[in-house]
Amino acid sequence: MANQYERIAADIRRQIEAGELGPGDRLPAETALADQYRVSVPTVRQGVGVLAAEGLVEKQHGRGTFVRRQPIPAKRDNLRHQWEKDRARQSQAERQKTGATEHDTGLTVNDLVFNAKYEQVPADTDLAAEFGVPEGTMLLQRTYRTRHSEEHAPFNVARSYLLLDLISGNPDLLREDLEPWPGGTQNQLFTVGIELDRIVETFRARPPTPEETEELGLPVGVSVIVLRKTSIDTTDRVVEVADVVLPGDRTEMVYTTKLNRW
């Protein structure tokens, strides 16, 4: 037999799934719920806590508990890299039609709010080893956050690193005000004569930091997926390293591996 708090959680969950409670609707006060279910306030809190852990409701300080608007999911597949390479040499008009986030979410550019921040930073031990350069070599760090216009949390937080010396031939690549760049990084590299040969992606999961929990709007107990993407050109040189933090509750990873026939 279900505990009392489980019964409360199940009933409110049913109301949400049935549409009786919609995104943004406020739940009754804890005291009102306690009277309704004939239980104590601590039991109500326990039941609502279950729903919060499931990402169905969220507590807003000083305002109450609200039905959470479910974030738009993103599906990331490994075929996107060839898609990006194919469009890297297309006309600007063609490249402006869609970008990687639209590709992953099915949204249009008008649905999105894009933010980019550029900063010149010295390579730490980790990045120096990835690029095969001395520690302290100057890099261009680009931090990207893209969100749906109706949501406050971005789909992910991406930090991309390029060697400053490598891109110095095109001063436009240092300008954050030109973002979002039609065709993305592969087109940017193309403007300085660089063609990618392969991309290596490494994934791991970990608990989010407090800052990531707040920025990505993560429910309690949800992990983040951390992606390290290393781009290597046709001369076997590492030309970009990117670290992407993806929310585990709305990111689907799909990988297709083509196998040679016997």
Side-chain angles (χ1 to χ4, degrees):
M1 182 176 179
N3 292 322
Q4 290 180 318
Y5 76 88
E6 293 173 330
R7 176 173 58 86
I8 296 168
D11 187 51
I12 297 176
R13 186 187 302 111
R14 178 196 59 76
Q15 294 177 57
I16 294 172
E17 292 173 349
E20 298 171 18
L21 288 171
D25 285 350
R26 181 179 176 178
L27 298 189
E30 292 177 343
T31 52
L33 288 174
D35 290 340
Q36 177 183 339
Y37 291 105
R38 298 184 179 180
V39 297
S40 66
V41 168
T43 300
V44 166
R45 288 176 182 161
Q46 196 172 6
V48 172
V50 170
L51 299 174
E54 294 174 358
L56 294 176
V57 302
E58 58 184 355
K59 293 186 177 181
Q60 298 181 14
H61 184 69
R63 297 190 61 216
T65 301
F66 296 81
V67 178
R68 182 171 177 252
R69 182 183 298 277
Q70 294 304 301
I72 293 173
K75 180 182 290 187
R76 187 184 182 102
D77 63 50
N78 59 323
L79 302 179
R80 73 201 305 265
H81 304 308
Q82 185 61 54
W83 174 80
E84 290 175 326
K85 184 169 184 177
D86 290 342
R87 62 197 283 271
R89 295 187 296 168
Q90 293 176 344
S91 67
Q92 180 167 333
E94 192 65 27
R95 286 183 277 114
Q96 283 180 324
K97 290 181 179 179
T98 187
T101 301
E102 297 96 289
H103 179 271
D104 292 349
T105 63
L107 298 171
T108 68
V109 66
N110 294 328
D111 296 322
L112 302 174
V113 177
F114 184 87
N115 177 269
K117 180 181 179 182
Y118 281 21
E119 183 180 1
Q120 296 185 22
V121 299
D124 61 15
T125 303
D126 173 41
L127 290 170
E130 285 279 7
F131 281 107
V133 298
E135 192 171 338
T137 300
M138 293 307 295
L139 307 175
L140 179 66
Q141 174 185 278
R142 309 176 303 168
T143 303
Y144 299 115
R145 295 174 174 86
T146 305
R147 63 176 177 85
H148 188 274
S149 58
E150 297 183 359
E151 298 178 3
H152 70 275
F155 292 104
N156 57 62
V157 178
R159 288 183 175 85
S160 164
Y161 300 90
L162 300 170
L163 292 167
L164 268 180
D165 287 348
L166 201 65
I167 58 174
S168 59
N170 184 356
D172 284 349
L173 300 187
L174 302 177
R175 294 177 53 184
E176 66 182 37
D177 61 304
L178 295 180
E179 294 281 8
W181 185 285
T185 297
Q186 291 211 44
N187 177 264
Q188 291 173 318
L189 293 172
F190 170 65
T191 68
V192 289
I194 295 172
E195 176 188 357
L196 294 190
D197 174 73
R198 62 192 184 276
I199 294 173
V200 178
E201 294 182 295
T202 304
F203 298 89
R204 62 186 176 91
R206 62 164 170 77
T209 65
E211 293 77 16
E212 290 167 344
T213 296
E214 181 176 359
E215 181 168 19
L216 295 172
L218 297 175
V220 176
V222 172
S223 295
V224 292
I225 304 167
V226 182
L227 160 65
R228 164 64 62 93
K229 178 170 76 79
T230 305
S231 299
I232 303 163
D233 75 356
T234 53
T235 69
D236 216 31
R237 172 181 55 175
V238 173
V239 294
E240 185 208 14
V241 176
D243 291 321
V244 187
V245 179
L246 304 131
D249 65 334
R250 72 204 75 149
T251 303
E252 181 179 350
M253 314 298 294
V254 180
Y255 280 77
T256 301
T257 302
K258 180 69 174 176
L259 302 178
N260 294 328
R261 295 189 180 184
W262 285 328

